[in-house]
Amino acid sequence: MNPDPGLASWLQLALTPGLGPVSVQRLLQQFGLPQNALARNRRELAAHVPPAALTALDSDPVALAVKRSLAWAEQPGHSIVTLADEGYPHSLLEIPDPPPILFARGRLELLARPALAIVGSRNATQQGEANAESFAKALSDAGLAIVSGLALGIDAAAHRGGLAGAGSTIAVLGTGIDVLYPARNAGLAEHIAQQGLILSEFALGTAPAAHNFPRRNRLISGLARGCLVVEAALASGSLITARAAADQGRDVFAIPGSIHSPLAKGCHALIKAGAKLVESAEDVLTELNGFRPIAFASTQQVPSTETGLLAHMGHDPVDVDLLCSRAGLSPDQVSSELLRLELDGRVAALPGGLYQRLEKGPRR
């Protein structure tokens, strides 16, 4: 059980609807610890708390949420970290609205480790996922905890790479820590709970809601020294994380892609706006001032010596007709070779009848 005798008071403030991190900060600045604020006359608190939140503060639903949270924290591997705890991540104290509490499952010591956020599209290409996993493993082996949001696509690949390296990984949820979303990442989430760390600022039982994820993204960037965007469309939520990182004074990195790929447009927009173009993990480490890698595994690609159809594909998506023209082969010959290469994991089929060559990445 969490040893903080005032934990129930922290929970009461943090779990009161309408009393967000900024309002809680104002109360703490005015009265000190939560138990001091809660001991005040409610009329006195009215000058610092919105009316609806003041009504909810002493309500039965909030009392029940506190009780449930305390019971959850008693379970092995579960913790609730408050702003007053020594183990609260110092990096979050630098952002304007640090959460008053964090529900945590897994290795709390990772909160003290230097970290890098890796984010990107949920609908990533195979090459994008391979890049995310490769970069994450190399940067994890260099001593960085890899922070992401447990979404499908790039996030999941980044967590896999982080787990495979020495620095492990931290997943920040946009739901209650007891709500698994998305369900397809159930196995990965359990692996992270055992070998990494899962965090949430949301009350137990909080279901996935669109407005929770941008709020969650400020913690992904806030926990990290920098944010790497691997693949992102112009409307991608990962650009919200990148903007939060820039606003928080963190470095923003982006991997460039094909000018024809919609999933490269977001990264290119970030680079135009001042994000640092990176082609390898070395590029990221060079830019992280004051960070000394403990080890390093390069992500630099070996120059290709491919022959046959791969030699005619280049790195941009192509269709069968263009390959026929380049290679001097019939459509049947090209389609047969593409199928063989796809089964071998060397080529990926994309929407619109396009194909893209894949560089070899780490095996899952």
Side-chain angles (χ1 to χ4, degrees), residues 88-99 102 110-119 145-148 170 172 199 201 213-228 240-252:
Y88 191 91
H90 291 177
S91 57
L92 288 186
L93 297 176
E94 300 170 355
I95 70 175
D97 52 352
L102 289 167
L110 294 182
L111 292 176
R113 180 165 291 174
L116 183 87
I118 298 182
V119 296
I146 304 301
V147 186
S148 201
I170 299 172
V172 186
L199 293 177
E201 68 174 313
F213 293 94
R215 177 176 165 184
R216 175 275 310 266
N217 290 349
R218 85 191 194 288
L219 300 187
I220 294 177
S221 58
L223 285 164
R225 293 184 173 216
C227 177
L228 170 64
I240 298 175
T241 310
R243 285 193 290 271
D247 290 343
Q248 293 163 350
R250 276 47 169 170
D251 289 317
V252 179

Side-chain angles (χ1 to χ4, degrees), residues 65-81:
V66 170
K67 184 177 179 181
R68 286 183 59 200
S69 299
L70 291 171
W72 180 88
E74 291 181 357
Q75 300 176 45
H78 293 187
S79 303
I80 299 174
V81 183

Side-chain angles (χ1 to χ4, degrees), residues 176-202:
I177 201 166
D178 58 336
V179 176
L180 180 60
Y181 178 82
R184 282 169 55 185
N185 279 344
L188 177 60
E190 188 57 33
H191 193 182
I192 295 172
Q194 298 300 319
Q195 302 295 329
L197 181 65
I198 299 178
L199 293 177
S200 175
E201 68 174 313
F202 295 103

Side-chain angles (χ1 to χ4, degrees), residues 11-260:
L11 288 165
Q12 187 175 348
L13 291 185
L15 300 179
T16 295
L19 195 60
V22 174
S23 295
V24 171
Q25 269 192 316
R26 285 200 296 264
L27 284 175
L28 298 178
Q29 290 166 356
Q30 183 68 27
F31 301 109
L33 291 173
Q35 51 265 47
N36 297 339
L38 291 170
R40 297 286 178 159
N41 184 286
R42 294 303 180 253
R43 290 183 180 177
E44 190 176 355
L45 294 185
H48 309 279
V49 177
L54 189 62
T55 301
L57 186 61
D58 299 307
S59 66
D60 290 341
V62 169
L64 179 59
V66 170
K67 184 177 179 181
R68 286 183 59 200
S69 299
L70 291 171
W72 180 88
E74 291 181 357
Q75 300 176 45
H78 293 187
S79 303
I80 299 174
V81 183
T82 77
L83 269 170
D85 290 336
E86 187 177 343
Y88 191 91
H90 291 177
S91 57
L92 288 186
L93 297 176
E94 300 170 355
I95 70 175
D97 52 352
I101 63 167
L102 289 167
F103 292 90
R105 186 176 171 214
R107 298 171 55 196
L108 282 179
E109 69 270 18
L110 294 182
L111 292 176
R113 180 165 291 174
L116 183 87
I118 298 182
V119 296
S121 174
R122 288 174 171 81
N123 302 307
T125 66
Q126 286 181 260
Q127 186 63 64
E129 290 191 25
N131 288 343
E133 190 168 348
S134 177
F135 270 73
K137 183 182 184 305
L139 294 164
S140 176
D141 274 330
L144 291 164
I146 304 301
V147 186
S148 201
L150 199 62
L152 300 174
I154 297 301
D155 285 19
H159 287 308
R160 290 194 298 269
L163 287 168
S168 196
T169 192
I170 299 172
V172 186
L173 307 186
T175 62
I177 201 166
D178 58 336
V179 176
L180 180 60
Y181 178 82
R184 282 169 55 185
N185 279 344
L188 177 60
E190 188 57 33
H191 193 182
I192 295 172
Q194 298 300 319
Q195 302 295 329
L197 181 65
I198 299 178
L199 293 177
S200 175
E201 68 174 313
F202 295 103
L204 297 177
T206 300
H211 61 272
N212 286 345
F213 293 94
R215 177 176 165 184
R216 175 275 310 266
N217 290 349
R218 85 191 194 288
L219 300 187
I220 294 177
S221 58
L223 285 164
R225 293 184 173 216
C227 177
L228 170 64
V229 182
V230 178
E231 279 187 338
L234 284 172
S236 173
S238 46
L239 298 190
I240 298 175
T241 310
R243 285 193 290 271
D247 290 343
Q248 293 163 350
R250 276 47 169 170
D251 289 317
V252 179
F253 307 98
I255 297 177
S258 166
I259 60 172
H260 304 292

